[in-house]
Amino acid sequence: MPCALRISEAASLAMHALGYLAKREVGPVTSREIATRFEISEAHLSKVMQRLVKVELLRSARGPRGGFTLNRDPKTVTLLEIFEVIEGRFEPRQCLLSSSICDGDNCILGKIVVEANTTLRARLEETTLDDVEAVINKSR
């Protein structure tokens, strides 16, 4: 079914994977375990996880007991931070077209584009991995 709001698969994978890791206290978790939990591509997830290691949101360990662990307190990591690691700076737009044809005040959609982007940014900014973990582990 079509959807107006789209967040890239990579950003969604990052948010879900980090939420899954937020309260794990039993050592590293493999990308295979996370991929299995969310029924997603392990190859794509592995690439996303490496980006998160590079910016030090995650630690990785190789070997038979290796995997990923969260590198920060889940209460200090917001979904906005994760989104921006994957997608770049969140810069809300006034127009759905690649180049604006109006000033935003006379849009055929009214102010809905600005309002939706403002609401999304606020929600990403206020939601931490601690909040997400509760939802992810509840839905297991």
Side-chain angles (χ1 to χ4, degrees):
M1 193 178 324
C3 175
L5 175 66
R6 300 284 300 164
I7 293 177
S8 74
E9 183 177 6
S12 181
L13 291 176
M15 290 185 241
H16 282 81
L18 290 178
Y20 183 74
L21 292 172
K23 293 290 181 168
R24 297 297 292 226
E25 298 171 3
V26 188
V29 177
T30 65
S31 56
R32 174 170 285 151
E33 178 182 336
I34 297 167
T36 300
R37 164 64 177 92
F38 294 111
E39 300 177 3
I40 55 177
S41 162
E42 184 180 352
H44 192 188
L45 177 64
S46 293
K47 291 176 186 175
V48 169
M49 299 296 269
Q50 289 308 315
R51 288 173 78 178
L52 297 169
V53 168
K54 189 174 182 178
V55 298
E56 300 181 351
L57 281 173
L58 291 177
R59 284 188 304 256
S60 66
R62 293 179 174 243
R65 294 194 172 166
F68 298 94
T69 53
L70 195 58
N71 204 25
R72 293 195 4 222
D73 181 340
K75 292 177 183 163
T76 69
V77 180
T78 67
L79 294 185
L80 180 63
E81 181 179 0
I82 299 165
F83 179 90
E84 290 186 333
V85 163
I86 301 299
E87 297 297 326
R89 186 164 164 76
F90 187 105
E91 295 181 16
R93 298 174 45 106
Q94 291 185 344
C95 187
L96 296 176
L97 299 173
S98 57
S99 61
S100 252
I101 61 170
C102 65
D103 60 8
D105 290 327
N106 297 306
C107 178
I108 63 171
L109 296 174
K111 299 262 186 226
I112 195 164
V113 175
V114 173
E115 290 168 359
N117 280 315
T118 301
T119 300
L120 176 60
R121 182 185 174 83
R123 182 60 55 94
L124 292 174
E125 197 167 30
E126 71 190 19
T127 305
T128 68
L129 287 180
D130 197 48
D131 302 322
V132 172
E133 181 277 332
V135 173
I136 288 173
N137 288 321
K138 186 178 185 179
S139 65
R140 290 181 91 182

